[in-house]
Amino acid sequence: MAANPPFDLAEIDRLLMTTKAVRRRLDLDRPVDRDVVVDCIRLASYAPNASNAQEWHWVVVDDPDQRRAVGEQYRRTTEAVVSTMLAAKEAAGDEAGARISRSILYLAAHMGEVPVLVIPCYDLEAAAGRYGRLIGADRETTGMEPGMYASIYPAVWSFLLALRSRGLGSVLTTAHQSDQPAMAEILGIPDTWDQTALLPVAHTTGGDFVPSPRAAVEESIVWNRYER
Ligand SMILES: Cc1cc2nc3c(=O)[nH]c(=O)nc-3n(C[C@H](O)[C@H](O)[C@H](O)COP(=O)(O)O)c2cc1C
């Protein structure tokens, strides 16, 4: 380790290890300041992205009726699928997996009550200009390509870290993607913007967070060359 690290490593490591999926501990009653959301999006914009083109739009929903409509649409796309997953996990005796499914169902039931909902969108049309070809529905290719997700998910993760650093919580969700047109209709989102995630944003309840279980990292590292 460097003799004089430029950051307080204990604090940075704690941030990285405890920025986790928050669902049941989102405070549904405490409002979230618009300023803090804007600050976190500003910090997120420093994330790496292809050609520094910043082909993103952050749709932020804090109007109660709009939140309710978005939450209801999220519930519609989540509940049946995750209920089936939950039954399969319970049947297989996978209690850890079942706990996550129950937590997902809890959030699906309450998404519309979360104070702020953020939908980071990737602008396919802007990317098409840069890539020199058309991308998306009815065009040469059918939608998001890996490089495009790679140009927005770093910013999404930075946004989640920035929230956590300010005492707020969230979870990266994507279940709504199975019906993007329905969500686009509610929010007026053009069909050339891919809705890459739906992020509920709230203050958190309870005490501090502890790291989630993860496999030993040595199991996933390959040094120099993979040997079968
Ligand atoms: C690509 C992606 C899609 C996800 N989709 C959902 C989702 O639709 N709903 C949800 O509640 N959580 C979703 N999650 C959150 C994961 O369940 C969570 O990150 C994982 O269980 C690890 O949680 P932990 O960091 O708290 O251990 C998603 C995460 C990722 C990276």
Side-chain angles (χ1 to χ4, degrees), residues 20-21 23 74 100 104 107 153 171-175 212 214:
K20 51 198 281 185
R23 302 186 188 90
Y74 180 79
I100 293 174
I104 291 173
L107 178 62
Y153 268 28
V171 50
L172 196 162
T173 82
T174 53
S212 293
R214 292 291 192 264

Side-chain angles (χ1 to χ4, degrees), residues 29-41:
D29 299 319
R30 182 171 166 195
V32 170
D33 243 25
R34 280 191 170 189
D35 286 352
V36 75
V37 178
V38 174
D39 279 347
C40 292
I41 293 174

Side-chain angles (χ1 to χ4, degrees), residues 67-128:
R67 286 190 284 131
R68 235 186 322 277
V70 169
E72 180 54 22
Q73 178 54 29
Y74 180 79
R75 193 189 59 71
R76 264 199 289 274
T77 51
T78 307
E79 228 163 49
V81 179
V82 180
S83 298
T84 305
M85 284 167 58
L86 172 60
K89 285 171 180 170
E90 283 174 341
D94 174 8
E95 186 42 40
R99 207 173 317 117
I100 293 174
S101 293
R102 283 186 214 109
S103 167
I104 291 173
L105 287 171
Y106 169 86
L107 178 62
H110 294 279
M111 187 67 101
E113 300 161 52
V114 180
V116 175
L117 305 174
V118 176
I119 296 105
C121 296
Y122 189 81
D123 191 329
L124 293 165
E125 200 155 38

Side-chain angles (χ1 to χ4, degrees), residues 5-219:
F7 297 101
D8 178 339
L9 291 189
E11 278 302 270
I12 297 290
D13 291 359
R14 192 167 71 85
L15 176 69
L16 291 171
M17 292 170 71
T18 63
T19 302
K20 51 198 281 185
V22 185
R23 302 186 188 90
R24 293 182 190 275
R25 291 181 52 188
L26 296 169
D27 191 335
L28 304 179
D29 299 319
R30 182 171 166 195
V32 170
D33 243 25
R34 280 191 170 189
D35 286 352
V36 75
V37 178
V38 174
D39 279 347
C40 292
I41 293 174
R42 185 178 299 110
L43 290 164
S45 76
Y46 289 90
N49 65 98
S51 301
N52 197 23
Q54 301 163 64
E55 288 150 345
W56 48 50
H57 305 274
W58 300 79
V59 179
V60 183
V61 183
D62 62 0
D63 173 81
D65 291 340
Q66 283 291 78
R67 286 190 284 131
R68 235 186 322 277
V70 169
E72 180 54 22
Q73 178 54 29
Y74 180 79
R75 193 189 59 71
R76 264 199 289 274
T77 51
T78 307
E79 228 163 49
V81 179
V82 180
S83 298
T84 305
M85 284 167 58
L86 172 60
K89 285 171 180 170
E90 283 174 341
D94 174 8
E95 186 42 40
R99 207 173 317 117
I100 293 174
S101 293
R102 283 186 214 109
S103 167
I104 291 173
L105 287 171
Y106 169 86
L107 178 62
H110 294 279
M111 187 67 101
E113 300 161 52
V114 180
V116 175
L117 305 174
V118 176
I119 296 105
C121 296
Y122 189 81
D123 191 329
L124 293 165
E125 200 155 38
R130 196 167 52 78
Y131 279 58
R133 65 180 191 281
L134 298 176
I135 295 157
D138 304 317
R139 301 170 179 90
E140 283 173 34
T141 66
T142 50
M144 288 286 276
E145 296 172 4
M148 298 178 174
Y149 273 107
S151 269
I152 190 163
Y153 268 28
V156 168
W157 180 233
S158 288
F159 178 67
L160 301 182
L161 291 169
L163 290 174
R164 165 85 176 118
S165 72
R166 284 150 176 75
L168 288 92
S170 185
V171 50
L172 196 162
T173 82
T174 53
H176 72 287
Q177 288 184 319
S178 61
D179 191 354
Q180 289 202 38
M183 197 66 91
E185 179 71 26
I186 295 165
L187 296 168
I189 294 175
D191 68 356
T192 50
W193 295 8
D194 191 282
Q195 302 160 31
T196 64
L198 168 55
L199 312 170
V201 173
H203 292 276
T204 55
T205 59
D208 206 1
F209 291 90
V210 294
S212 293
R214 292 291 192 264
V217 71
E218 288 75 12
E219 291 171 16

